[in-house]
C-alpha cells in the first residue's frame, strides 16, 4: 500500500454518463484524485467501495454502475486512508487520525470503532473477524515530560475493534502476526511478536539485538507458552516465564511461521539464520546451500503450497540484477536452490520476478537473468515450473503472429513482463493466462514488452492475441474476456467469449465530448395554424462537434460472482481525476455452452482439462478440471464452481527432488555435495543420513518408487550451521501425514493493512534488511513487513 497524503475538499462533483450499444451497457463516473483501493464486499458483491488519495470513500450499490460519496464515514478533519476487507459482509475503514468505522452488513450501517487509536499496523484474524491486533504508540509519546519513555504497544481486541487491551509493550511495530493452529498445542489465538527484553527508556535507543520473538498461545488470556531458539528453551532474564527466540523478523501463513535471527561467524560477519514452524510445530533453524549474510534482501514468494519459496539477493551479486530462488522441504527448514540467477528489478524497489499461477497446483513463473553487463539493467528470460520449482523450462514461442504470419527468430524465447505488467491467471479460468511480453533474447528496460500473449494449457503452448501491450480482464469461468490497448488513451475495448478462438468484437466504452465550435444561420420555416400562413425567419444556432474522449485504462476489475457479466475499467484522462467505466454484458444475447454433463463428447462444449499435456500425473495426482473447451465460442453459464476430479498416482522419479546437500547429476541422480554438511538424524545413538532424495512439497503420490526412505522415528536433528539441536517429533516424513491433510491450493493470506505513517522514532538496526511477502495487501504489489 502506498503512502497517502490525506486532503480534504468541501465539495465533490461526480459525473456519470450512460450509453448502450448492441445490448452492452456502460456508464462512466469521474472522481478527483487517484483511486488507491477498490474492494468488492465478499458476500454482497454488488456492493463495491472505491477510495481515492484525498481520503474520500465512494460506494456503489449496483456493481459499479452508479456511485456516490459515503458521507456516513466522514467526520470533520478525518478522511479515510485504508480499507480492510474482512470477509463475508464485514469491512473496516481506517481514518487518517483516530476515527475508524466498521460495517458487518455490507454498508447498511456503520459503527465507529477503535476510538482514539492511531494505528501503525493493524491486522484481523482470517478465521474470526472479531479478533484483531494492532501496534500503536504508547500514550507517553504524547506527553512532553515522558517522551523518554516513548515505546510501541501491541494491543488486541476480541469484539471487532470496539474495545482493546495492551498485550505487550516495547514491541517492533512491524513484527507482529497471528500464528497458525497446529497439532502441537498451538491454538488459533496464538500471536507472535518481536519485543524488547529492555522494558524502559526510549525505544528508539534500544538496539535490535535486544528484540526477541515471543509467542502468546492465547492472546485473550495473555497466556505465554513460547518459542525456542533452535529448539533450545531460552529464558529472558527480566521475565523468567517467557521463553523466546532471538529474532528480527516474523511472518505467518496457514502453514508456516517464519522468523529470523542475527549471529556472527568467526570473521565477525553477520549471518542470518531462518527459523520455521510448520503446521504449529516447534520452531527449528533452517539451512541453506550457502551462508546468508545480514545485508541480504529477502522476499517470501509463496508459502501456501506445502513449502516456502524464498528469493535472496545481496548487493554483491554478479550480476547485480540477479539473486537466487530457494525452495524448502515440507518443514520449511531445509532449502535447496530452485532457480539460480533469478531476475531482480534493478529499478526502485528491487522486486524479484517470481509469479505464482493462480488456479493450478505447483505452477510458477520467474525470470532468469542473462545480463552480459554486470552493472547494467537486467535482461531476463522467462522460465516456468510445473512441479513446485523442482525443475524449470523456457517458454515455447508462438508459431505465428497476431496476423497469421510465421514468426522467425533464431535462438529466441517467449519472455513475459513480470514486473510492469503482471500476468493474469485465476481459478475462474483454469489453465488460462494473459501476459504481456516479447519474442527475443530476453526482456528488460532496454527490451520491453511489445505484444500480448495467451496460453490455454497451463503455459505449454502460446499464441499472440495482440500486437500491442494490453490491459486484460476475465469474467468467471473465463466466460467473457476483455483487452484494452495499454500504450495510449483508448476509447475502444475488445471482448470475446473465448480468446483462443481469435474472434474479438470492438465496443466503444467512452462517452464522446460535445463542444460548440461555430455558429451558423439557418432558415426556420413552419406553418402557423392561427394565421393559416407559412412563417419563415432566420436564426443563428450553435454548431456542436463530437470529439473522441479516450482514457488510459490501468486495470480491469470484476466482482467475484459465478454469473457475473459486469466489469469495471479503472483509469484516468488527466493528472487530477480518476475514471471508472462500468461495462455490462447482462443484456447481450450470448450463445450458451452445451451439455456440461458429458465433457469431451462432440455434443458437449466442455472438456476435462489436464494440467499435464500427456494426461499424466502432476505432484502425485491425476488432476482434471471441468471447463469450457478452448476454441469454442460460447458463454459458460454454469452457476457453480468448476469440478475437480482427482486420482492418486504411484510415486515415480518425477515426484522427488534432490534433498538439501545433494546436487542433480548428469543422469538425473542426486549426488552428495562435499561442501555441505547435511543435517543428520540420530536414533538411539545411530546417525542416519538422508537418502539424497525428498518428495516434492505437496506431492500426494503413494506407493510406487520409495526414494526418500528415512526412518519416521527420528526425534532429534543436529543442525551443522548453528550447532544446535531441534526437536523433530517424527516430522521427517511429515509430507505423508500433515501435508496430505493440509488445505489444497491457494489459501488466502492473513488480512493485513500496514498503515504507513512517518515513524519519528528511528529504530536502531544493525544491518540492512528487508523481509517481504508478496501480495499480502493487493494482488498487484507486495508489502514490506
Amino acid at each position: 500500500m502506498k503512502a497517502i497524503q490525506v486532503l480534504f475538499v468541501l465539495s465533490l462533483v461526480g459525473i456519470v454518463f450512460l450509453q448502450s450499444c448492441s445490448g452492452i451497457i456502460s456508464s462512466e463516473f469521474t472522481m478527483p484524485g487517484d483511486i488507491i483501493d477498490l474492494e468488492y464486499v465478499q458476500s454482497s458483491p454488488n456492493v463495491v467501495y472505491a477510495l481515492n488519495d484525498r481520503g474520500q470513500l465512494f460506494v456503489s450499490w449496483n456493481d459499479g454502475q452508479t456511485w456516490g460519496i459515503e458521507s456516513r464515514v466522514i467526520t470533520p478533519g478525518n478522511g479515510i486512508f485504508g480499507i480492510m476487507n474482512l470477509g463475508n459482509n464485514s469491512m473496516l475503514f481506517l481514518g487518517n487520525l483516530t476515527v475508524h468505522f466498521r460495517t458487518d452488513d455490507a454498508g447498511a450501517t456503520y459503527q465507529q470503532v477503535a476510538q482514539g487509536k492511531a494505528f501503525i499496523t493493524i491486522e484481523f484474524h482470517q478465521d474470526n473477524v472479531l479478533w484483531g491486533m494492532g501496534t500503536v504508540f504508547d500514550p507517553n509519546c504524547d506527553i512532553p515530560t515522558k517522551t523518554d519513555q516513548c515505546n510501541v504497544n501491541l494491543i488486541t481486541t476480541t469484539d471487532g475493534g470496539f474495545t482493546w487491551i495492551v498485550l505487550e509493550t516495547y514491541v517492533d511495530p512491524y513484527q507482529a502476526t497471528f500464528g497458525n493452529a497446529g497439532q502441537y498445542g498451538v491454538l488459533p489465538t496464538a500471536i507472535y511478536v518481536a519485543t524488547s527484553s529492555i522494558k524502559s527508556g526510549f525505544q528508539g535507543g534500544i538496539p535490535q539485538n535486544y528484540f526477541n520473538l515471543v509467542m502468546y498461545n492465547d492472546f485473550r488470556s495473555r497466556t505465554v507458552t513460547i518459542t525456542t531458539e533452535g529448539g533450545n528453551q531460552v529464558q529472558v532474564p527480566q521475565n523468567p516465564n517467557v521463553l523466546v527466540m532471538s529474532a528480527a523478523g516474523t511472518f505467518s501463513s496457514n502453514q508456516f511461521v517464519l522468523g529470523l535471527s542475527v549471529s556472527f561467524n568467526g570473521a565477525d560477519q553477520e549471518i542470518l539464520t531462518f527459523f520455521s514452524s510448520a503446521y504449529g510445530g516447534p520452531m527449528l533453524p533452517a539451512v541453506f546451500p550457502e551462508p546468508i549474510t545480514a545485508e541480504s534482501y529477502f522476499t517470501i514468494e509463496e508459502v501456501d503450497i506445502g513449502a516456502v519459496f524464498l528469493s535472496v539477493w545481496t548487493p554483491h551479486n554478479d550480476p547485480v540484477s540477479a539473486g537466487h530462488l530457494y525452495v524448502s522441504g515440507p518443514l520449511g527448514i531445509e532449502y535447496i536452490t530452485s532457480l539460480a540467477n533469478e531476475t531482480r528489478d534493478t529499478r526502485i524497489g528491487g522486486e524479484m520476478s517470481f509469479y505464482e499461477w493462480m488456479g493450478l497446483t505447483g505452477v510458477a513463473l520467474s525470470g532468469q537473468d542473462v545480463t552480459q553487463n554486470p552493472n547494467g539493467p537486467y535482461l531476463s528470460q522467462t522460465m516456468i515450473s510445473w512441479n513446485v520449482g523442482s525443475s524449470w523450462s523456457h517458454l515455447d514461442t508462438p508459431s505465428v503472429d497476431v496476423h497469421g504470419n510465421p514468426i522467425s527468430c533464431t535462438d529466441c524465447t517467449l519472455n513475459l513482463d513480470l514486473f510492469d505488467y503482471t500476468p493474469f491467471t485465476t481459478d475462474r479460468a483454469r489453465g488460462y493466462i494473459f501476459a504481456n511480453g516479447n519474442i527475443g533474447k530476453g526482456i528488460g528496460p532496454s527490451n520491453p514488452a511489445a505484444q500480448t500473449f495467451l496460453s490455454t494449457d497451463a503455459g505449454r503452448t502460446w499464441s499472440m492475441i495482440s500486437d500491442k501491450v494490453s490491459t486484460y480482464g476475465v469474467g468467471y469461468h473465463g466466460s467473457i474476456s476483455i483487452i484494452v490497448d495499454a500504450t495510449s488513451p483508448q476509447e475502444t475495448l475488445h471482448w470475446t467469449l473465448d480468446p483462443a478462438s481469435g474472434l474479438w468484437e470492438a465496443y466503444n466504452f467512452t462517452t464522446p465530448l460535445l463542444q460548440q465550435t461555430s455558429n451558423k444561420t439557418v432558415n426556420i420555416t413552419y406553418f402557423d395554424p392561427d394565421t393559416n400562413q407559412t412563417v419563415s425567419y432566420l436564426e443563428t444556432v450553435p454548431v456542436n462537434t463530437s470529439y473522441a474522449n479516450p482514457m488510459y485504462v490501468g486495470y480491469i476489475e470484476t466482482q467475484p460472482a459465478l454469473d457475473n457479466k459486469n466489469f469495471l475499467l479503472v483509469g484516468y484522462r488527466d493528472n487530477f481525476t480518476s475514471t471508472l467505466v462500468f461495462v455490462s454484458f447482462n443484456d447481450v444475447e450470448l450463445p450458451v455452452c452445451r451439455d456440461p454433463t458429458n465433457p469431451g463428447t462432440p455434443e458437449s462444449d466442455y472438456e476435462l482439462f489436464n494440467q499435464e499435456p500427456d494426461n499424466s500425473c502432476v505432484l502425485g495426482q491425476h488432476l482434471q478440471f471441468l471447463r469450457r473447451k478452448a476454441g469454442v465460442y460460447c458463454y459458460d453459464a454454469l452457476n457453480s464452481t468448476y469440478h475437480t476430479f482427482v486420482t492418486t498416482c504411484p510415486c515415480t522419479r518425477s515426484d522427488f527432488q534432490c534433498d538439501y546437500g545433494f546436487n542433480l547429476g548428469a543422469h538425473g541422480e542426486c549426488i552428495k555435495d562435499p561442501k555441505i554438511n547435511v543435517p543428520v538424524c540420530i536414533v538411539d545413538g545411530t546417525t542416519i543420513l538422508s537418502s539424497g532424495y525428498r518428495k516434492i512439497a505437496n506431492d500426494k503420490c503413494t506407493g510406487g518408487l520409495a526414494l526418500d526412505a528415512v526412518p519416521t522415528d527420528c526425534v532429534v536433528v543436529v543442525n551443522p550451521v548453528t550447532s544446535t539441536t531441534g526437536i523433530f517429533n517424527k516430522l521427517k516424513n511429515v509430507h505423508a501425514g500433515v501435508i496430505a491433510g493440509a488445505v489444497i491450493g491457494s489459501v488466502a493470506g492473513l488480512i493485513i493493512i500496514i498503515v504507513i505513517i512517518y515513524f519519528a522514532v528511528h529504530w536502531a538496526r544493525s544491518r540492512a534488511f528487508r523481509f517481504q511477502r508478496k501480495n499480502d495487501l493487493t494482488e498487484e504489489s507486495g508489502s514490506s513487513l
Side-chain angles (χ1 to χ4, degrees):
M1 180 178 180
K2 62 182 180 182
I4 301 168
Q5 180 181 6
V6 181
L7 304 177
F8 305 96
V9 295
L10 298 178
S11 63
L12 170 71
V13 178
I15 304 173
V16 179
F17 297 99
L18 298 174
Q19 66 170 335
S20 63
C21 179
S22 302
I24 302 176
I25 297 175
S26 62
S27 63
E28 181 178 311
F29 181 78
T30 300
M31 68 174 66
D34 292 332
I35 296 175
I36 60 173
D37 202 356
L38 190 72
E39 295 284 346
Y40 289 91
V41 178
Q42 189 178 90
S43 297
S44 302
N46 286 328
V47 182
V48 56
Y49 290 94
L51 177 65
N52 69 8
D53 59 356
R54 304 187 182 190
Q56 296 165 327
L57 183 68
F58 298 83
V59 63
S60 173
W61 307 101
N62 52 10
D63 200 16
Q65 185 170 359
T66 59
W67 293 83
I69 193 166
E70 184 51 276
S71 58
R72 291 178 293 171
V73 299
I74 302 297
T75 59
N78 187 75
I80 300 298
F81 71 93
I83 305 176
M84 295 187 69
N85 196 328
L86 304 179
N88 298 323
N89 286 316
S90 298
M91 308 286 288
L92 183 68
F93 306 95
L94 298 170
N96 68 306
L97 299 177
T98 58
V99 182
H100 320 287
F101 292 88
R102 178 182 177 123
T103 179
D104 292 293
D105 51 18
T109 60
Y110 298 93
Q111 293 177 289
Q112 190 171 331
V113 296
Q115 297 187 39
K117 300 292 188 295
F119 291 102
I120 304 171
T121 64
I122 184 171
E123 173 183 340
F124 275 80
H125 202 284
Q126 64 179 11
D127 297 325
N128 190 327
V129 297
L130 298 180
W131 295 351
M133 68 176 177
T135 55
V136 296
F137 287 108
D138 186 87
N140 283 332
C141 300
D142 296 324
I143 303 175
T145 59
K146 294 186 177 181
T147 55
D148 60 341
Q149 298 298 313
C150 179
N151 69 94
V152 175
N153 295 334
L154 175 67
I155 60 176
T156 59
T157 180
T158 57
D159 58 9
F162 292 96
T163 60
W164 298 77
I165 63 170
V166 176
L167 183 69
E168 185 62 87
T169 61
Y170 286 85
V171 303
D172 186 322
Y174 303 108
Q175 307 298 345
T177 182
F178 283 107
N180 51 7
Q183 59 182 356
Y184 298 91
V186 179
L187 302 176
T189 51
I191 284 181
Y192 288 81
V193 58
T195 181
S196 172
S197 57
I198 298 176
K199 297 294 184 182
S200 63
F202 178 57
Q203 183 170 335
I206 300 176
Q208 185 64 34
N209 60 340
Y210 282 86
F211 282 78
N212 305 295
L213 182 63
V214 175
M215 184 185 79
Y216 283 81
N217 206 30
D218 189 344
F219 74 90
R220 299 169 301 176
S221 59
R222 304 187 185 186
T223 302
V224 181
T225 47
I226 205 37
T227 91
T228 64
E229 181 173 7
N232 297 324
Q233 296 184 345
V234 180
Q235 295 184 344
V236 179
Q238 289 83 354
N239 187 347
N241 296 318
V242 180
L243 304 176
V244 303
M245 178 187 93
S246 177
T250 58
F251 173 79
S252 176
S253 75
N254 264 8
Q255 300 176 8
F256 296 95
V257 174
L258 305 177
L260 292 173
S261 70
V262 182
S263 59
F264 291 87
N265 62 11
D268 289 334
Q269 183 182 33
E270 289 182 309
I271 300 297
L272 284 184
T273 300
F274 280 82
F275 291 82
S276 174
S277 169
Y279 308 98
M283 189 73 78
L284 298 172
V287 288
F288 289 81
E290 55 192 3
I292 299 176
T293 60
E295 63 183 352
S296 300
Y297 283 69
F298 308 86
T299 303
I300 301 173
E301 305 289 4
E302 177 54 44
V303 293
D304 293 326
I305 54 174
V308 179
F309 272 112
L310 190 67
S311 290
V312 180
W313 173 83
T314 63
H316 304 297
N317 279 13
D318 184 10
V320 71
S321 54
H324 295 305
L325 178 66
Y326 298 98
V327 63
S328 76
L331 298 179
I333 60 172
E334 293 178 324
Y335 287 82
I336 61 175
T337 301
S338 174
L339 182 64
N341 294 323
E342 184 190 24
T343 306
R344 170 183 176 268
D345 190 347
T346 51
R347 297 167 298 181
I348 296 176
E351 184 179 1
M352 305 302 286
S353 57
F354 183 90
Y355 177 82
E356 176 197 7
W357 192 306
M358 304 301 293
L360 296 179
T361 303
V363 183
L365 296 163
S366 195
Q368 189 166 52
D369 193 279
V370 292
T371 305
Q372 299 299 317
N373 182 358
N375 298 312
Y378 69 86
L379 183 67
S380 177
Q381 293 183 349
T382 304
M383 310 292 287
I384 187 169
S385 173
W386 291 282
N387 53 10
V388 198
S390 184
S391 61
W392 296 83
S393 305
H394 286 98
L395 301 180
D396 289 338
T397 60
S399 57
V400 296
D401 64 18
V402 69
H403 304 293
N405 301 316
I407 296 176
S408 178
C409 186
T410 305
D411 297 328
C412 291
T413 60
L414 173 60
N415 307 295
L416 306 182
D417 191 330
L418 302 177
F419 294 124
D420 295 328
Y421 300 100
T422 305
F424 183 90
T425 58
T426 174
D427 56 5
R428 293 174 285 180
R430 295 185 189 272
Y432 278 70
I433 181 172
F434 291 81
N436 291 306
N438 67 28
I439 296 174
K441 306 301 181 183
I443 194 167
S446 301
N447 299 272
Q451 299 94 16
T452 306
F453 299 90
L454 168 75
S455 174
T456 63
D457 57 4
R460 302 287 179 175
T461 61
W462 295 79
S463 61
M464 185 187 299
I465 60 174
S466 176
D467 56 5
K468 299 287 184 64
V469 171
S470 304
T471 300
Y472 18 75
V474 179
Y476 214 90
H477 295 333
S479 54
I480 299 176
S481 300
I482 290 177
I483 61 172
V484 181
D485 185 346
T487 61
S488 62
Q490 296 295 308
E491 54 187 291
T492 303
L493 62 81
H494 289 84
W495 68 277
T496 183
L497 294 180
D498 184 51
S501 68
L503 301 175
W504 294 85
E505 297 186 46
Y507 172 70
N508 190 325
F509 62 87
T510 63
T511 303
L513 290 177
L514 296 177
Q515 181 176 346
Q516 180 178 340
T517 57
S518 62
N519 295 318
K520 72 176 181 178
T521 302
V522 296
N523 185 26
I524 306 296
T525 301
Y526 68 94
F527 179 77
D528 186 350
D530 293 334
T531 63
N532 200 28
Q533 293 180 351
T534 298
V535 178
S536 180
Y537 66 93
L538 297 177
E539 182 174 309
T540 300
V541 296
V543 176
N544 293 327
T545 302
S546 177
Y547 289 93
N549 193 21
M551 61 176 277
Y552 284 98
V553 177
Y555 58 97
I556 301 173
E557 290 282 358
T558 183
Q559 63 160 263
L562 291 173
D563 57 350
N564 177 55
K565 298 180 185 177
N566 301 330
F567 295 83
L568 276 177
L569 280 59
V570 184
Y572 65 93
R573 288 193 175 93
D574 55 49
N575 294 327
F576 306 102
T577 61
S578 295
T579 301
L580 288 165
V581 176
F582 169 83
V583 180
S584 175
F585 294 83
N586 283 326
D587 295 332
V588 181
E589 294 185 5
L590 303 172
V592 177
C593 298
R594 305 166 299 155
D595 195 6
T597 59
N598 295 292
T601 63
E603 296 77 19
S604 175
D605 291 326
Y606 292 87
E607 66 180 355
L608 291 179
F609 168 70
N610 194 310
Q611 191 169 315
E612 291 292 312
D614 55 358
N615 223 27
S616 60
C617 298
V618 55
L619 296 178
Q621 291 182 320
H622 185 234
L623 296 175
Q624 290 184 312
F625 307 105
L626 176 67
R627 72 174 195 180
R628 180 189 57 196
K629 291 177 180 176
V632 175
Y633 196 83
C634 63
Y635 178 73
D636 187 352
L638 284 181
N639 193 18
S640 63
T641 56
Y642 274 156
H643 297 289
T644 302
F645 302 89
V646 181
T647 303
T648 303
C649 305
C651 297
T652 66
R653 175 64 181 87
S654 64
D655 295 298
F656 299 90
Q657 61 188 185
C658 293
D659 203 353
Y660 171 80
F662 292 80
N663 298 322
L664 188 64
H667 304 290
E669 74 278 23
C670 294
I671 303 172
K672 175 72 174 63
D673 189 333
K675 301 187 298 296
I676 297 179
N677 293 322
V678 178
V680 297
C681 218
I682 300 177
V683 180
D684 297 330
T686 302
T687 298
I688 302 175
L689 295 175
S690 167
S691 67
Y693 301 84
R694 71 184 187 196
K695 192 181 290 186
I696 297 171
N698 223 16
D699 194 297
K700 305 298 191 304
C701 72
T702 58
L705 188 64
L707 291 178
D708 61 340
V710 175
T712 57
D713 58 352
C714 180
V715 294
V716 179
V717 170
V718 177
N719 186 326
V721 175
T722 61
S723 298
T724 58
T725 58
I727 301 172
F728 221 33
N729 287 342
K730 299 184 180 181
L731 288 175
K732 188 66 178 177
N733 282 340
V734 70
H735 52 262
V738 178
I739 291 183
V743 178
I744 300 175
S746 297
V747 181
L750 292 171
I751 305 171
I752 303 173
I753 276 193
I754 302 298
V755 180
I756 303 180
I757 297 176
Y758 180 74
F759 195 19
V761 180
H762 295 279
W763 302 99
R765 301 285 185 175
S766 59
R767 78 288 186 280
F769 169 69
R770 184 181 71 172
F771 196 37
Q772 185 182 41
R773 163 74 194 272
K774 278 189 177 178
N775 304 327
D776 258 356
L777 302 183
T778 68
E779 294 185 357
E780 289 77 29
S781 62
S783 59
S784 295
L785 293 180

